[in-house]
Amino acid sequence: MSNVIPLSRPDINDDDVRAVSEVLRSGRLSIGPSTLAFEDMMSQRIGRSEAVAVSSGTAGLHLVLEGLGIGPGDEVITPAFSFVASANCIEHAGAKPVFVDCDPRTLNMNAEDVEAKLTDRTRAIIGVEVFGNPTGMRELAALSAKHEIPLIEDACEGLGGRLGNEPIGRFGRAAVFAFYPNKQITTGEGGMIVTDDQRLADACRSMRNQGRAAGDRSAPGTTGTNLGVERLGWNYRMSELHAALGVSQMKRLDEIMEARARVASHYTQALSNVSDLVVPTVEADVFMSWFVYVVRLGLAYSGEDRDEIIEGLRRHDIGAAAYFPSIPLFNHFRREYGYEAGDFPMSESVSQRTIALPMYVGLGEPEIELIAQTLELMMTRTRFRDKD
Ligand SMILES: *Cc1c(COP(=O)(O)O)cnc(C)c1O
């Protein structure tokens, strides 16, 4: 029995196991009732007329871009401070990512900074609720309306969160959620597009299935239909096993969110007296669905110090990670577009000082206390080393 406190851990119970087993016994493993049920639950939860289940969040973002007709020669605005998928999807569509720096407080893009990067080739804006924080989405939606450039919400970190009464997933022309095992709910791998645009949804349904007509439900275990190929497509389908797990997990979304919120508030209590450490702030009109609990070291700490602190936590069997490296400084984007250190100063500065701490259902108060004490100890040690 190990005492490792992992960075994340999926919340899987007997109902989940039963739901997946039932699909296995049914003989219908793809394109079936569980996918439809999962889509219905998601569209109802978010308040959107259409939901399209796909194999990952990245696949969903790619399909939305394709569905909007975005391709070579087009530019798409995307945050420098995010998970790399929100930039990769643009290149999958053959378009060029145009990065925007983050606001140091919210870690999201500011509408004014986005507006400054618009050109006559800009075809979409990908707005990310970084770490699940929807602050600024209303302003991005207004900017998108003003310039008639569609806003795509990369809501992959925000399932269940709200800004006022507006759920995450309802700000853009379409929004995409993800169900990788570290997200609020998981299907192992998976994603979901939600939108009120039926034509866009039908295009995505077709493209996830090799470009076959949207009504094509031929699958092993059925009598089969074959409606022909309408356009270039991919295999971005979600299997019935994944969808059944999604249905089972969605039933507990509120419970899971409450448990994660308790973890977050214990952290905030436990860390409130640690000097030179910034804990996440939640604006008054934000209802957070906690994806990760990310703290930020004060400006006195360098990127090296931060890495050393993460290593120290890991040596003590505590999961920790540097969320997120600034995307334009990854080798791929440096090579492709010539980015250098200093191009996105806020994103770079923040990315050198953030530490994601363990966050999952079942992480107890004693463990949170231990994590807080260990973090403080590692911070002190790092500071002593600097004074040698
Ligand atoms: C998780 C995530 C995605 C999608 O991830 P997949 O692993 O493809 O499901 C996209 N954008 C952001 C910001 C994410 O955090």
Side-chain angles (χ1 to χ4, degrees):
M1 184 51 210
S2 94
N3 290 318
V4 172
I5 303 175
L7 186 56
S8 70
R9 193 172 76 189
D11 181 58
I12 301 294
N13 71 11
D14 291 344
D15 290 339
D16 296 333
V17 174
R18 208 169 301 125
V20 176
S21 302
E22 273 169 24
V23 173
L24 281 169
R25 293 200 186 92
S26 77
R28 183 86 184 257
L29 306 190
S30 188
I31 317 182
S34 296
T35 304
L36 292 175
F38 190 27
E39 290 175 344
D40 278 350
M41 276 175 113
M42 284 292 293
S43 69
Q44 276 174 31
R45 172 80 194 205
I46 310 302
R48 292 283 214 170
S49 61
E50 305 286 332
V52 183
V54 288
S55 54
S56 73
T58 311
L61 289 165
H62 176 200
L63 286 192
V64 169
L65 290 167
E66 294 281 347
L68 293 172
I70 290 160
D74 296 338
E75 294 179 355
V76 177
I77 303 279
T78 192
F81 188 77
S82 175
F83 178 60
V84 69
S86 52
N88 282 348
C89 61
I90 300 167
E91 292 198 26
H92 294 326
K96 180 186 171 190
V98 173
F99 293 101
V100 169
D101 209 350
C102 65
D103 179 297
R105 197 176 46 87
T106 66
L107 306 184
N108 288 335
M109 297 188 295
N110 278 322
E112 309 85 75
D113 299 336
V114 171
E115 193 163 33
K117 294 278 182 99
L118 299 179
T119 73
D120 54 8
R121 289 185 300 281
T122 311
R123 293 287 175 270
I125 299 164
I126 295 182
V128 182
E129 284 97 357
V130 173
F131 303 147
N133 182 1
T135 306
M137 287 314 283
R138 276 198 201 103
E139 291 74 11
L140 285 186
L143 183 77
S144 143
K146 177 179 159 196
H147 292 276
E148 297 184 31
I149 294 170
L151 173 65
I152 300 166
E153 226 180 311
D154 176 343
C156 291
E157 301 184 356
L159 179 63
R162 291 195 309 264
L163 184 57
N165 287 321
E166 202 69 4
I168 287 176
R170 235 162 60 182
F171 294 98
R173 175 82 166 272
V176 178
F177 294 97
F179 311 113
Y180 187 71
N182 70 346
K183 312 282 182 183
Q184 288 89 336
I185 68 165
T186 187
T187 58
E189 296 282 359
M192 187 74 72
I193 300 163
V194 296
T195 181
D196 293 322
D197 181 338
Q198 197 196 324
R199 282 180 52 170
L200 177 61
D202 283 343
C204 291
R205 281 192 189 100
S206 167
M207 287 185 294
R208 79 175 162 185
N209 191 23
Q210 305 289 4
R212 283 136 128 179
D216 192 335
R217 302 217 158 272
S218 58
T222 71
T223 52
T225 50
N226 213 336
L227 304 179
V229 170
E230 301 295 324
R231 50 163 65 79
L232 174 65
W234 290 263
N235 176 2
Y236 281 170
R237 294 182 301 262
M238 174 180 278
S239 86
E240 284 283 284
L241 289 83
H242 295 80
L245 180 53
V247 168
S248 184
Q249 292 255 305
M250 265 305 272
K251 289 181 185 160
R252 303 204 297 284
L253 175 61
D254 289 313
E255 250 173 74
I256 289 172
M257 280 166 50
E258 278 167 33
R260 295 173 79 99
R262 278 195 295 274
V263 170
S265 87
H266 289 151
Y267 267 127
T268 302
Q269 273 167 31
L271 295 169
S272 59
N273 293 324
V274 180
S275 58
D276 253 349
L277 189 76
V278 183
V279 298
T281 42
V282 180
E283 283 78 6
D285 57 346
V286 168
F287 178 81
M288 276 295 279
S289 169
W290 289 89
F291 164 55
V292 283
Y293 192 88
V294 175
V295 294
R296 202 185 323 170
L297 302 169
L299 283 163
Y301 290 85
S302 68
E304 262 173 43
D305 294 341
R306 189 274 315 270
D307 294 343
E308 197 175 296
I309 292 166
I310 288 178
E311 276 313 309
L313 287 164
R314 289 180 181 162
R315 268 201 313 279
H316 286 78
D317 288 335
I318 295 168
Y323 283 179
F324 294 114
S326 190
I327 298 173
L329 290 187
F330 281 127
N331 284 337
H332 167 72
F333 295 93
R334 280 185 195 250
R335 265 200 304 270
E336 204 72 15
Y337 306 102
Y339 291 120
E340 294 170 5
D343 288 343
F344 300 92
M346 279 305 158
S347 172
E348 290 165 30
S349 164
V350 169
S351 76
Q352 287 182 11
R353 289 178 292 115
T354 43
I355 303 176
L357 299 174
M359 162 61 78
Y360 51 88
V361 175
L363 182 63
E365 259 188 278
E367 288 140 319
I368 294 169
E369 285 295 331
L370 175 72
I371 295 164
Q373 283 163 17
T374 313
L375 173 64
E376 196 172 6
L377 179 68
M378 293 303 126
M379 287 173 66
T380 312
R381 271 199 200 158
T382 298
R383 229 188 273 146
F384 267 114
R385 182 221 53 184
D386 282 349
K387 291 204 173 101
D388 286 344

Tab-separated table of all heavy atoms in Angstrom, residues 55-61 79 81-87 89 126 128-131 154-158 176-183 188-192 291 324 327, ligand 1:
chain	number	residue	atom	x	y	z
A	55	SER	N	-14.195	11.725	-29.451
A	55	SER	CA	-13.187	10.883	-28.788
A	55	SER	C	-12.270	11.641	-27.834
A	55	SER	O	-11.600	11.031	-27.008
A	55	SER	CB	-12.357	10.162	-29.852
A	55	SER	OG	-11.818	11.104	-30.763
A	56	SER	N	-12.209	12.962	-27.931
A	56	SER	CA	-11.408	13.765	-26.998
A	56	SER	C	-11.823	15.230	-27.108
A	56	SER	O	-12.493	15.621	-28.074
A	56	SER	CB	-9.902	13.641	-27.311
A	56	SER	OG	-9.581	14.351	-28.496
A	57	GLY	N	-11.375	16.012	-26.146
A	57	GLY	CA	-11.623	17.445	-26.222
A	57	GLY	C	-10.924	18.060	-27.428
A	57	GLY	O	-11.478	18.915	-28.122
A	58	THR	N	-9.712	17.614	-27.686
A	58	THR	CA	-8.949	18.136	-28.824
A	58	THR	C	-9.670	17.840	-30.136
A	58	THR	O	-9.768	18.712	-31.015
A	58	THR	CB	-7.538	17.503	-28.856
A	58	THR	OG1	-6.965	17.593	-27.551
A	58	THR	CG2	-6.644	18.205	-29.848
A	59	ALA	N	-10.202	16.621	-30.265
A	59	ALA	CA	-10.963	16.248	-31.472
A	59	ALA	C	-12.181	17.164	-31.612
A	59	ALA	O	-12.498	17.624	-32.718
A	59	ALA	CB	-11.393	14.782	-31.388
A	60	GLY	N	-12.842	17.456	-30.504
A	60	GLY	CA	-14.019	18.334	-30.540
A	60	GLY	C	-13.663	19.725	-31.028
A	60	GLY	O	-14.356	20.299	-31.880
A	61	LEU	N	-12.572	20.274	-30.516
A	61	LEU	CA	-12.140	21.614	-30.938
A	61	LEU	C	-11.788	21.614	-32.420
A	61	LEU	O	-12.142	22.530	-33.164
A	61	LEU	CB	-10.936	22.067	-30.102
A	61	LEU	CG	-11.237	22.398	-28.639
A	61	LEU	CD1	-9.951	22.473	-27.813
A	61	LEU	CD2	-12.017	23.708	-28.521
A	79	PRO	N	-5.153	31.495	-26.384
A	79	PRO	CA	-4.306	31.968	-25.286
A	79	PRO	C	-2.893	31.389	-25.296
A	79	PRO	O	-2.697	30.212	-25.628
A	79	PRO	CB	-5.018	31.489	-24.020
A	79	PRO	CG	-6.309	30.926	-24.440
A	79	PRO	CD	-6.255	30.634	-25.897
A	81	PHE	N	-1.322	31.207	-22.452
A	81	PHE	CA	-1.317	30.467	-21.185
A	81	PHE	C	-2.522	29.536	-21.161
A	81	PHE	O	-3.638	29.950	-20.837
A	81	PHE	CB	-1.360	31.434	-19.998
A	81	PHE	CG	-1.161	30.745	-18.671
A	81	PHE	CD1	0.102	30.346	-18.265
A	81	PHE	CD2	-2.239	30.473	-17.845
A	81	PHE	CE1	0.297	29.697	-17.047
A	81	PHE	CE2	-2.058	29.826	-16.621
A	81	PHE	CZ	-0.793	29.437	-16.232
A	82	SER	N	-2.296	28.283	-21.543
A	82	SER	CA	-3.366	27.287	-21.561
A	82	SER	C	-2.716	25.934	-21.746
A	82	SER	O	-1.492	25.828	-21.892
A	82	SER	CB	-4.341	27.560	-22.714
A	82	SER	OG	-5.328	26.547	-22.824
A	83	PHE	N	-3.551	24.897	-21.769
A	83	PHE	CA	-3.060	23.578	-22.152
A	83	PHE	C	-2.882	23.576	-23.674
A	83	PHE	O	-3.672	24.187	-24.391
A	83	PHE	CB	-4.055	22.497	-21.704
A	83	PHE	CG	-3.664	21.112	-22.100
A	83	PHE	CD1	-2.465	20.561	-21.659
A	83	PHE	CD2	-4.482	20.357	-22.926
A	83	PHE	CE1	-2.097	19.285	-22.037
A	83	PHE	CE2	-4.117	19.070	-23.300
A	83	PHE	CZ	-2.928	18.539	-22.861
A	84	VAL	N	-1.851	22.903	-24.138
A	84	VAL	CA	-1.430	23.016	-25.538
A	84	VAL	C	-2.508	22.622	-26.554
A	84	VAL	O	-2.485	23.072	-27.708
A	84	VAL	CB	-0.130	22.197	-25.769
A	84	VAL	CG1	-0.384	20.687	-25.675
A	84	VAL	CG2	0.529	22.559	-27.093
A	85	ALA	N	-3.495	21.838	-26.132
A	85	ALA	CA	-4.557	21.409	-27.064
A	85	ALA	C	-5.299	22.593	-27.674
A	85	ALA	O	-5.747	22.520	-28.826
A	85	ALA	CB	-5.554	20.499	-26.349
A	86	SER	N	-5.424	23.698	-26.919
A	86	SER	CA	-6.182	24.838	-27.450
A	86	SER	C	-5.411	25.561	-28.552
A	86	SER	O	-5.963	26.427	-29.232
A	86	SER	CB	-6.616	25.785	-26.331
A	86	SER	OG	-5.534	26.157	-25.513
A	87	ALA	N	-4.153	25.228	-28.756
A	87	ALA	CA	-3.399	25.737	-29.912
A	87	ALA	C	-3.257	24.653	-30.985
A	87	ALA	O	-3.411	24.914	-32.180
A	87	ALA	CB	-2.012	26.215	-29.479
A	89	CYS	N	-5.209	22.303	-31.911
A	89	CYS	CA	-6.415	22.083	-32.720
A	89	CYS	C	-6.447	23.019	-33.934
A	89	CYS	O	-6.977	22.662	-34.987
A	89	CYS	CB	-7.671	22.251	-31.864
A	89	CYS	SG	-7.860	23.896	-31.145
A	126	ILE	N	-10.632	31.405	-29.838
A	126	ILE	CA	-10.817	30.313	-28.885
A	126	ILE	C	-10.622	30.884	-27.482
A	126	ILE	O	-9.526	31.296	-27.109
A	126	ILE	CB	-9.828	29.158	-29.144
A	126	ILE	CG1	-10.119	28.526	-30.515
A	126	ILE	CG2	-9.932	28.100	-28.030
A	126	ILE	CD1	-9.245	27.339	-30.857
A	128	VAL	N	-10.590	30.258	-23.531
A	128	VAL	CA	-10.419	29.144	-22.585
A	128	VAL	C	-10.771	29.628	-21.182
A	128	VAL	O	-10.301	30.697	-20.769
A	128	VAL	CB	-8.965	28.621	-22.592
A	128	VAL	CG1	-8.797	27.434	-21.648
A	128	VAL	CG2	-8.538	28.233	-24.008
A	129	GLU	N	-11.562	28.879	-20.445
A	129	GLU	CA	-11.749	29.142	-19.016
A	129	GLU	C	-10.584	28.457	-18.308
A	129	GLU	O	-10.665	27.279	-17.951
A	129	GLU	CB	-13.077	28.566	-18.518
A	129	GLU	CG	-14.294	29.393	-18.921
A	129	GLU	CD	-14.975	28.862	-20.165
A	129	GLU	OE1	-14.459	27.884	-20.748
A	129	GLU	OE2	-16.026	29.416	-20.541
A	130	VAL	N	-9.479	29.205	-18.154
A	130	VAL	CA	-8.264	28.592	-17.623
A	130	VAL	C	-8.486	28.165	-16.168
A	130	VAL	O	-8.984	28.946	-15.352
A	130	VAL	CB	-7.070	29.565	-17.740
A	130	VAL	CG1	-5.835	29.011	-17.041
A	130	VAL	CG2	-6.761	29.839	-19.215
A	131	PHE	N	-8.150	26.933	-15.863
A	131	PHE	CA	-8.368	26.320	-14.537
A	131	PHE	C	-9.838	26.393	-14.109
A	131	PHE	O	-10.157	26.380	-12.930
A	131	PHE	CB	-7.466	26.963	-13.470
A	131	PHE	CG	-5.990	26.909	-13.785
A	131	PHE	CD1	-5.131	27.928	-13.390
A	131	PHE	CD2	-5.451	25.831	-14.478
A	131	PHE	CE1	-3.765	27.878	-13.683
A	131	PHE	CE2	-4.088	25.771	-14.779
A	131	PHE	CZ	-3.248	26.796	-14.378
A	154	ASP	N	-13.312	26.900	-25.345
A	154	ASP	CA	-12.608	25.697	-24.900
A	154	ASP	C	-12.945	25.567	-23.419
A	154	ASP	O	-12.268	26.133	-22.561
A	154	ASP	CB	-11.104	25.828	-25.138
A	154	ASP	CG	-10.321	24.639	-24.611
A	154	ASP	OD1	-10.882	23.870	-23.796
A	154	ASP	OD2	-9.148	24.488	-24.984
A	155	ALA	N	-14.034	24.841	-23.153
A	155	ALA	CA	-14.568	24.710	-21.791
A	155	ALA	C	-14.059	23.430	-21.129
A	155	ALA	O	-14.657	22.941	-20.179
A	155	ALA	CB	-16.093	24.729	-21.844
A	156	CYS	N	-12.945	22.921	-21.646
A	156	CYS	CA	-12.434	21.613	-21.213
A	156	CYS	C	-12.051	21.570	-19.730
A	156	CYS	O	-11.886	20.500	-19.173
A	156	CYS	CB	-11.240	21.215	-22.071
A	156	CYS	SG	-11.710	20.827	-23.767
A	157	GLU	N	-11.887	22.740	-19.101
A	157	GLU	CA	-11.508	22.743	-17.683
A	157	GLU	C	-12.646	23.253	-16.812
A	157	GLU	O	-12.453	23.438	-15.607
A	157	GLU	CB	-10.258	23.623	-17.499
A	157	GLU	CG	-9.112	23.104	-18.338
A	157	GLU	CD	-7.801	23.858	-18.138
A	157	GLU	OE1	-7.776	24.850	-17.396
A	157	GLU	OE2	-6.808	23.414	-18.742
A	158	GLY	N	-13.815	23.486	-17.405
A	158	GLY	CA	-14.829	24.231	-16.650
A	158	GLY	C	-16.181	23.572	-16.457
A	158	GLY	O	-17.120	24.251	-16.045
A	176	VAL	N	-16.643	23.232	-26.079
A	176	VAL	CA	-16.149	21.856	-26.055
A	176	VAL	C	-15.716	21.503	-24.637
A	176	VAL	O	-14.991	22.269	-23.989
A	176	VAL	CB	-14.960	21.684	-27.032
A	176	VAL	CG1	-14.419	20.257	-26.968
A	176	VAL	CG2	-15.377	22.028	-28.458
A	177	PHE	N	-16.184	20.341	-24.171
A	177	PHE	CA	-15.769	19.807	-22.864
A	177	PHE	C	-14.882	18.590	-23.087
A	177	PHE	O	-14.892	17.995	-24.161
A	177	PHE	CB	-17.004	19.409	-22.038
A	177	PHE	CG	-17.855	20.587	-21.647
A	177	PHE	CD1	-18.979	20.927	-22.393
A	177	PHE	CD2	-17.524	21.367	-20.555
A	177	PHE	CE1	-19.758	22.025	-22.050
A	177	PHE	CE2	-18.288	22.473	-20.201
A	177	PHE	CZ	-19.415	22.795	-20.950
A	178	ALA	N	-14.117	18.231	-22.049
A	178	ALA	CA	-13.217	17.078	-22.166
A	178	ALA	C	-13.348	16.193	-20.936
A	178	ALA	O	-13.668	16.669	-19.842
A	178	ALA	CB	-11.772	17.546	-22.318
A	179	PHE	N	-13.068	14.907	-21.115
A	179	PHE	CA	-13.269	13.921	-20.047
A	179	PHE	C	-12.049	13.042	-19.811
A	179	PHE	O	-12.170	11.858	-19.489
A	179	PHE	CB	-14.516	13.066	-20.363
A	179	PHE	CG	-15.721	13.877	-20.741
A	179	PHE	CD1	-16.231	13.822	-22.038
A	179	PHE	CD2	-16.316	14.730	-19.825
A	179	PHE	CE1	-17.331	14.600	-22.408
A	179	PHE	CE2	-17.412	15.511	-20.175
A	179	PHE	CZ	-17.920	15.444	-21.482
A	180	TYR	N	-10.867	13.621	-20.008
A	180	TYR	CA	-9.621	12.951	-19.638
A	180	TYR	C	-9.678	12.676	-18.121
A	180	TYR	O	-10.376	13.371	-17.387
A	180	TYR	CB	-8.439	13.886	-20.000
A	180	TYR	CG	-7.082	13.262	-19.832
A	180	TYR	CD1	-6.646	12.270	-20.711
A	180	TYR	CD2	-6.237	13.654	-18.790
A	180	TYR	CE1	-5.401	11.691	-20.536
A	180	TYR	CE2	-4.993	13.070	-18.622
A	180	TYR	CZ	-4.585	12.086	-19.504
A	180	TYR	OH	-3.364	11.504	-19.333
A	181	PRO	N	-8.922	11.656	-17.628
A	181	PRO	CA	-9.084	11.266	-16.217
A	181	PRO	C	-8.780	12.338	-15.169
A	181	PRO	O	-9.153	12.163	-14.015
A	181	PRO	CB	-8.119	10.074	-16.076
A	181	PRO	CG	-8.023	9.507	-17.449
A	181	PRO	CD	-8.099	10.679	-18.377
A	182	ASN	N	-8.130	13.432	-15.522
A	182	ASN	CA	-7.903	14.468	-14.498
A	182	ASN	C	-9.004	15.533	-14.485
A	182	ASN	O	-8.962	16.449	-13.670
A	182	ASN	CB	-6.517	15.126	-14.679
A	182	ASN	CG	-6.420	15.990	-15.920
A	182	ASN	OD1	-7.268	15.925	-16.814
A	182	ASN	ND2	-5.389	16.804	-15.997
A	183	LYS	N	-9.981	15.422	-15.384
A	183	LYS	CA	-11.037	16.447	-15.424
A	183	LYS	C	-12.089	16.160	-14.344
A	183	LYS	O	-12.063	15.107	-13.717
A	183	LYS	CB	-11.697	16.462	-16.803
A	183	LYS	CG	-10.738	16.487	-17.982
A	183	LYS	CD	-10.146	17.847	-18.265
A	183	LYS	CE	-9.245	17.765	-19.496
A	183	LYS	NZ	-8.582	19.009	-19.811
A	188	GLY	N	-12.420	8.300	-19.370
A	188	GLY	CA	-11.143	7.721	-19.780
A	188	GLY	C	-10.523	8.642	-20.808
A	188	GLY	O	-9.532	9.316	-20.550
A	189	GLU	N	-11.085	8.657	-21.994
A	189	GLU	CA	-10.809	9.669	-23.009
A	189	GLU	C	-12.158	10.085	-23.550
A	189	GLU	O	-13.062	9.256	-23.661
A	189	GLU	CB	-9.970	9.107	-24.164
A	189	GLU	CG	-8.565	8.646	-23.792
A	189	GLU	CD	-7.565	9.777	-23.637
A	189	GLU	OE1	-7.929	10.954	-23.831
A	189	GLU	OE2	-6.405	9.477	-23.294
A	190	GLY	N	-12.307	11.336	-23.918
A	190	GLY	CA	-13.579	11.731	-24.508
A	190	GLY	C	-13.771	13.225	-24.511
A	190	GLY	O	-13.058	13.959	-23.819
A	191	GLY	N	-14.715	13.673	-25.316
A	191	GLY	CA	-15.032	15.093	-25.388
A	191	GLY	C	-16.479	15.285	-25.817
A	191	GLY	O	-17.143	14.329	-26.230
A	192	MET	N	-16.966	16.522	-25.693
A	192	MET	CA	-18.352	16.825	-26.061
A	192	MET	C	-18.435	18.238	-26.607
A	192	MET	O	-17.971	19.184	-25.961
A	192	MET	CB	-19.247	16.691	-24.825
A	192	MET	CG	-20.729	16.819	-25.090
A	192	MET	SD	-21.477	15.386	-25.906
A	192	MET	CE	-21.454	14.175	-24.591
A	291	PHE	N	-11.145	22.405	-11.175
A	291	PHE	CA	-10.431	21.451	-12.038
A	291	PHE	C	-9.083	21.111	-11.398
A	291	PHE	O	-8.728	19.950	-11.255
A	291	PHE	CB	-10.247	22.075	-13.426
A	291	PHE	CG	-9.222	21.383	-14.293
A	291	PHE	CD1	-9.311	20.021	-14.547
A	291	PHE	CD2	-8.176	22.102	-14.866
A	291	PHE	CE1	-8.355	19.384	-15.338
A	291	PHE	CE2	-7.229	21.468	-15.664
A	291	PHE	CZ	-7.320	20.110	-15.897
A	324	PHE	N	0.630	26.172	-16.382
A	324	PHE	CA	1.022	25.545	-17.636
A	324	PHE	C	2.299	26.194	-18.116
A	324	PHE	O	2.448	27.399	-17.904
A	324	PHE	CB	-0.049	25.796	-18.695
A	324	PHE	CG	-1.363	25.171	-18.451
A	324	PHE	CD1	-2.473	25.956	-18.218
A	324	PHE	CD2	-1.511	23.798	-18.454
A	324	PHE	CE1	-3.712	25.375	-18.008
A	324	PHE	CE2	-2.747	23.213	-18.246
A	324	PHE	CZ	-3.847	23.999	-18.015
A	327	ILE	N	2.664	28.331	-23.944
A	327	ILE	CA	2.634	27.527	-25.185
A	327	ILE	C	3.627	28.008	-26.252
A	327	ILE	O	4.322	27.190	-26.858
A	327	ILE	CB	1.201	27.447	-25.761
A	327	ILE	CG1	0.270	26.748	-24.753
A	327	ILE	CG2	1.184	26.700	-27.106
A	327	ILE	CD1	-1.198	26.769	-25.168
B	1	LIG	C1	-8.023	18.944	-21.221
B	1	LIG	C2	-8.016	20.089	-22.137
B	1	LIG	C3	-8.322	19.959	-23.509
B	1	LIG	C4	-8.671	18.685	-24.212
B	1	LIG	O1	-8.013	17.597	-23.806
B	1	LIG	P1	-8.165	16.132	-24.400
B	1	LIG	O2	-7.087	15.439	-23.677
B	1	LIG	O3	-7.978	16.200	-25.854
B	1	LIG	O4	-9.514	15.614	-24.052
B	1	LIG	C5	-8.343	21.112	-24.278
B	1	LIG	N1	-8.096	22.310	-23.756
B	1	LIG	C6	-7.816	22.485	-22.452
B	1	LIG	C7	-7.568	23.868	-21.949
B	1	LIG	C8	-7.734	21.376	-21.605
B	1	LIG	O5	-7.425	21.551	-20.318
